[in-house]
């Protein structure tokens, strides 16, 4: 079945279609032959300065896997460069912030100082693939703060939480600057033509419930209030099941659910009414097409109780995932009618 046209995808986000839209977090990553081919010639920074390559790579999983929406090829850490942090990518490690600034030294994001082609990449995508939906994104405030503080991925936020107890006022100043920046980045992407914005708060699920209130919800609340005035929004946190009650108070269109949490129970804990995204286990998708399909059918059955639903993984596609496993999952979702 062919992917959804842009207007059908937008209608699906409002729950006005019988078909369920499907895309995968990190769908343009290392598991995809088209990505590996381009990466053999260019590094991530080079790709993200070249609008045509960004557009074509964003489109590759729509063409090769059959997903309904592209996500702009970019990285959550790249805007930190325009905030006075030097970001480098190291193979099999990830992004490294070379100059770790003190919280007060971070500048608010400025588009004119951004050397990457985020908005031009989106405009190029719109021009080359006009009928195809595209999702924009930014990191969440505590997740971006963790890269500034730790200088690299701090998956369990151990270094970031240490900072929280050593210098709470400094962390709040940093979060404020980052939140303003996330809003600017999201507005710029919306003006360039994205259909929705996902906030990747990848590591915020490692906070305790009280920490989440003070250092995450406090910032997400005004952020999503603003976002909802100009775009559709999706909130992703790995391990979101731990903090659903905190998330329930946000004005967000969709909440992404982790694979450890039952969809309908998550919907109830969120107070109902909100859209749900999720939640096939990435490891299952990487390991067994047969089991991925069995789990996909269970998730689709659970989603019947939810008004608005986007099928996705619980977190990103793992590097070793056979692309055909994902194609089978997409076909299963597409053959399901609500
Ligand atoms: O994969 C895609 O669809 C391409 C676009 C994309 C996205 C959506 C990239 C390019 N990065 C991201 C988001 C991103 N980056 C997140 C949020 C999603 C998540 O939680 O996985 C995070 C935390 C990052 C930071 C990051 N970038 C890491 C560390 C976290 C991790 O996954 O271990 C790493 C390793 C990267 C490198 C990166 N970013 C993108 C690519 C294609 C790559 C390199 C992969 C490779 O070729 O080695």
């Amino acid at each position: 079945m062919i992917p959804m046209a842009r207007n059908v995808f937008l209608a699906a986000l409002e729950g006005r279609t019988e078909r369920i839209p499907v895309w995968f977090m990190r769908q343009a990553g290392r598991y995809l032959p088209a990505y590996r081919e381009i990466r053999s010639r260019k590094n991530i920074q080079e790709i993200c300065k070249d609008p045509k390559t960004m557009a074509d790579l964003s489109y590759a999983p729509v063409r090769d896997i059959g997903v309904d929406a592209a996500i702009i090829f970019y990285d959550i850490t790249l805007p930190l460069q325009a905030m006075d942090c030097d970001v480098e990518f190291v193979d099999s490690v990830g992004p490294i912030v070379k100059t770790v600034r003190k919280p007060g030294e971070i500048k608010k994001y400025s588009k004119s100082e951004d050397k990457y082609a985020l908005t031009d990449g989106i405009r190029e995508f719109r021009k080359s693939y006009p009928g195809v939906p595209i999702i924009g994104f930014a990191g969440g405030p505590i997740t971006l703060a963790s890269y500034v503080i730790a200088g690299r991925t701090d998956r369990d936020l151990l270094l970031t939480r240490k900072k929280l107890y050593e210098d709470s006022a400094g962390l709040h100043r940093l979060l404020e600057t980052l939140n303003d920046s996330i809003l600017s980045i999201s507005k710029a992407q919306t003006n360039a033509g994205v259909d929705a914005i996902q906030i990747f708060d990848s590591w915020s699920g490692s906070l305790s419930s009280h920490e989440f209130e003070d250092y995450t919800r406090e910032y997400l609340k005004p952020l999503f209030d603003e976002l909802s005035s100009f775009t559709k929004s999706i909130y992703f946190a790995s391990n979101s099941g731990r903090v659903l009650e905190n998330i329930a108070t946000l004005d967000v269109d969709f909440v992404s659910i982790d694979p450890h949490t039952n969809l309908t129970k998550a919907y109830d804990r969120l107070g109902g009414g909100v859209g749900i995204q999720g939640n096939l286990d990435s490891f299952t998708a990487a390991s067994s097409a047969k089991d991925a399909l069995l789990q996909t059918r269970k998730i689709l059955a659970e989603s019947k109780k939810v008004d608005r639903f986007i099928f996705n993984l619980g977190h990103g596609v793992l590097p070793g995932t056979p692309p055909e496993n994902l194609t089978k999952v997409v076909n299963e979702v597409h053959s399901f009618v609500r």
Side-chain angles (χ1 to χ4, degrees):
M1 204 181 275
I2 51 166
M4 283 183 183
R6 198 175 166 205
N7 59 338
V8 181
F9 180 76
L10 287 171
L13 294 192
E14 299 195 338
R16 293 189 283 109
T17 57
E18 290 179 340
R19 273 178 71 189
I20 291 173
V22 47
W23 70 283
F24 300 119
M25 291 182 264
R26 308 298 304 272
Q27 64 189 16
R30 233 176 316 172
Y31 81 99
L32 194 69
Y35 168 80
R36 290 200 301 274
E37 195 280 312
I38 288 174
R39 271 285 273 121
S40 66
R41 293 182 277 115
K42 291 179 170 194
N43 65 33
I44 293 181
Q45 279 117 314
E46 286 165 342
I47 297 171
C48 292
K49 286 178 187 164
D50 173 358
K52 179 84 175 83
T53 307
M54 290 169 82
D56 290 347
L57 252 183
S58 306
Y59 182 67
V62 177
R63 179 194 60 214
D64 298 346
I65 307 291
V67 289
D68 294 309
I71 178 159
I72 185 63
F73 191 91
Y74 193 61
D75 192 83
I76 60 164
T77 56
L78 289 176
L80 292 173
Q81 169 270 321
M83 302 171 71
D84 245 2
C85 301
D86 298 326
V87 180
E88 221 177 55
F89 284 81
V90 177
D91 279 345
S92 56
V93 175
I96 300 288
V97 180
K98 281 196 303 180
T99 332
V100 181
R101 307 273 175 192
K102 292 204 190 81
E105 291 173 357
I106 292 282
K107 284 197 313 199
K108 186 175 179 269
Y109 171 83
S110 145
K111 174 106 182 49
S112 60
E113 287 185 41
D114 193 344
K115 59 182 182 185
Y116 296 105
L118 174 58
T119 52
D120 286 344
I122 294 165
R123 289 202 171 89
E124 180 63 40
F125 183 93
R126 270 277 157 268
K127 213 170 76 194
S128 303
Y129 310 104
V132 180
I134 182 158
I135 297 168
F137 67 96
I142 196 77
T143 297
L144 288 181
S146 75
Y147 283 93
V148 176
I149 291 164
R152 56 190 291 159
T153 300
D154 183 23
R155 211 169 274 274
D156 304 316
L157 293 186
L158 294 180
L159 294 169
T160 307
R161 291 176 71 200
K162 196 153 175 275
K163 181 67 151 193
L164 181 159
Y165 292 109
E166 282 168 4
D167 181 14
S168 166
L171 180 56
H172 276 300
R173 276 205 306 282
L174 174 60
L175 290 168
E176 222 164 86
T177 309
L178 289 169
N179 223 31
D180 282 352
S181 304
I182 294 163
L183 189 58
S184 304
I185 297 162
S186 304
K187 274 188 182 152
Q189 293 182 67
T190 305
N191 291 339
V194 298
D195 297 301
I197 294 277
Q198 171 152 321
I199 299 297
F200 277 104
D201 215 356
S202 301
W203 319 128
S204 67
S206 296
L207 297 173
S208 73
S209 174
H210 289 117
E211 289 167 346
F212 192 96
E213 270 307 291
D214 296 345
Y215 296 89
T216 289
R217 201 204 84 94
E218 177 84 13
Y219 295 90
L220 294 178
K221 178 75 183 137
L223 178 66
F224 281 114
D225 284 351
E226 283 275 344
L227 286 181
S228 67
S229 69
F230 61 84
T231 187
K232 291 279 174 218
S233 58
I234 309 170
Y235 181 64
F236 164 80
S238 55
N239 299 316
S240 60
R242 296 173 180 169
V243 284
L244 285 177
E245 282 74 16
N246 308 69
I247 295 173
T249 58
L250 302 174
D251 185 11
V252 60
D253 293 304
F254 285 83
V255 177
S256 211
I257 306 300
D258 71 47
H260 313 289
T261 307
N262 172 279
L263 269 192
T264 44
K265 286 190 183 138
Y267 184 64
D268 292 341
R269 284 173 62 200
L270 287 163
V274 68
I276 297 288
Q277 172 173 277
N279 69 341
L280 177 63
D281 193 299
S282 305
F283 188 75
T284 309
S287 310
S288 156
K290 179 170 148 277
D291 291 285
L293 286 178
L294 285 173
Q295 287 190 21
T296 297
R297 283 178 209 126
K298 286 184 188 165
I299 291 168
L300 289 169
E302 287 163 12
S303 80
K304 285 187 176 173
K305 297 192 182 129
V306 172
D307 302 332
R308 287 172 288 135
F309 184 60
I310 301 172
F311 193 95
N312 206 318
L313 300 175
H315 200 159
V317 181
L318 294 171
T321 305
E324 58 275 19
N325 287 13
L326 296 183
T327 304
K328 285 178 185 159
V329 169
V330 166
N331 290 339
E332 188 68 28
V333 177
H334 281 167
S335 64
F336 181 84
V337 177
R338 268 147 82 83

